[in-house]
Amino acid sequence: MNKEERSIHSAKNLKFIHIGKCGGTTIIQQSNLKQYHLNRKYKNNEKYIIWIRNPIARFVSAFYMSYNIINADTSDLNIDNLTLENCIAPARFRYKMTHNWTFTKRYDFLVNYFKTANEFAESITSQDEKKRKLALELMNSKEEHIFKGIGWYLHNGDFIEKNHDKIIFVGTIENMNDDIIKLNKLLNLKIDPTKKIRNNNNRNDKYLSPKAIENIKNFYKNSDYKALQKLVDYNFISKDLFEKYHQYNM
């Protein structure tokens, strides 16, 4: 959702805050926007576009993204011809094909310890001490998108508090088509929200039990949800959407 009174025409040093698993690849691949992705070395003279997503759904997508890359069969791939059309993460696949692990040895082990997002999320409060410790270690791992979510990029809301006047647009994956149309008009872009950018044919089990959902919400309570509350406070997203982000629909 954009703040219409803020004119894009006066925005210089515009940057896209590409939070993992929030639809940012669709935007980046079809525009010349400069991005912050897996880093947050923001500068003082910048203005920002941000894309967000339900933190629970983002968690599921983040887990399976890592899981699918780690377990992907690369035997039929040409390392010199890796694209988003023939694999879900070309740079990571290239690394995987030249190393003994995909991310790090430990991170690969942690991801593969859990076979579904539900098992992983439920294990955060498991009575089994080993499962609980491994789940919490993975939740707090600095690799990839599980830990580096909305709260991580937005400093648990402090970024919004300090930079709300520099944010010109906040879009959501739940309203992707309409928000990209608005962004196109704002920036005079031609992004096609229906264009399939990433080739991902994996069919993962997205079911989450009530316990799993509660564990995810509790884990992100002081990070993702604090940041989202700040977006509500400054009228970038609605209270209704914020409430919906506490629910999960597959």
Side-chain angles (χ1 to χ4, degrees):
M1 182 181 299
N2 67 303
K3 303 194 90 175
E4 294 180 353
E5 67 273 15
R6 293 174 181 168
S7 174
I8 184 62
H9 301 295
S10 63
K12 296 181 180 180
N13 298 320
L14 183 63
K15 297 295 175 64
F16 182 74
I17 297 181
H18 183 177
I19 301 169
K21 311 315 300 168
C22 291
T25 300
T26 295
I27 296 166
I28 288 298
Q29 290 294 314
Q30 299 185 70
S31 72
N32 60 356
L33 290 171
K34 303 298 182 182
Q35 67 174 327
Y36 283 108
H37 187 56
L38 293 173
N39 81 85
R40 51 182 185 181
K41 297 178 181 179
Y42 310 126
K43 299 176 182 177
N44 292 328
N45 62 339
E46 297 174 327
K47 293 187 181 292
Y48 303 99
I49 293 167
I50 305 170
W51 229 260
I52 60 171
R53 183 183 191 176
N54 181 317
I56 307 167
R58 201 201 68 80
F59 164 88
V60 174
S61 182
F63 171 75
Y64 282 126
M65 181 70 171
S66 289
Y67 185 88
N68 292 334
I69 295 172
I70 291 169
N71 293 287
D73 180 5
T74 61
S75 59
D76 292 333
L77 293 175
N78 180 351
I79 196 171
D80 296 318
N81 185 35
L82 298 175
T83 70
L84 287 171
E85 294 180 355
N86 60 31
C87 67
I88 57 176
R92 186 52 57 184
F93 269 53
R94 188 172 295 108
Y95 184 91
K96 172 187 174 75
M97 294 166 75
T98 55
H99 292 74
N100 293 324
W101 47 76
T102 305
F103 295 94
T104 67
K105 185 177 181 180
R106 183 63 177 176
Y107 185 77
D108 289 10
F109 164 76
L110 290 170
V111 171
N112 271 336
Y113 186 84
F114 305 100
K115 302 308 179 186
T116 66
N118 186 66
E119 180 189 0
F120 173 27
E122 284 192 340
S123 296
I124 294 172
T125 58
S126 175
Q127 295 300 310
D128 183 320
E129 184 178 4
K130 179 181 178 181
K131 293 187 74 171
R132 185 175 68 254
K133 286 185 175 180
L134 291 177
L136 288 171
E137 182 181 348
L138 180 54
M139 287 296 286
N140 286 285
S141 174
K142 301 304 186 292
E143 295 287 336
E144 287 299 296
H145 305 305
I146 296 171
F147 179 78
K148 292 181 177 178
I150 298 167
W152 185 83
Y153 281 91
L154 303 181
H155 292 275
N156 304 332
D158 288 346
F159 178 88
I160 306 299
E161 184 70 37
K162 296 175 182 176
N163 298 283
H164 57 90
D165 58 330
K166 300 177 183 178
I167 299 169
I168 64 168
F169 194 96
V170 176
T172 72
I173 201 170
E174 292 81 12
N175 198 37
M176 195 75 172
N177 286 13
D178 288 345
D179 282 348
I180 284 183
I181 290 171
K182 293 176 184 177
L183 186 67
N184 282 340
K185 291 180 179 178
L186 196 64
L187 299 179
N188 194 27
L189 297 174
K190 296 181 179 180
I191 299 171
D192 179 0
T194 66
K195 184 177 181 180
K196 186 176 181 180
I197 300 297
R198 194 190 301 274
N199 179 25
N200 186 357
N201 296 318
N202 295 288
R203 295 292 180 265
N204 302 115
D205 182 0
K206 297 181 181 180
Y207 167 78
L208 292 177
S209 68
K211 176 183 178 181
I213 293 170
E214 197 62 28
N215 284 348
I216 296 166
K217 290 194 295 184
N218 284 336
F219 184 85
Y220 291 129
K221 178 180 179 181
N222 292 316
S223 56
D224 289 34
Y225 286 103
K226 280 188 71 175
L228 290 167
Q229 180 62 62
K230 284 295 179 182
L231 290 174
V232 173
D233 293 344
Y234 286 99
N235 298 313
F236 288 108
I237 64 173
S238 68
K239 291 182 180 179
D240 181 61
L241 181 63
F242 180 67
E243 291 303 318
K244 288 180 180 178
Y245 278 177
H246 288 76
Q247 305 163 22
Y248 176 64
N249 297 304
M250 288 187 291

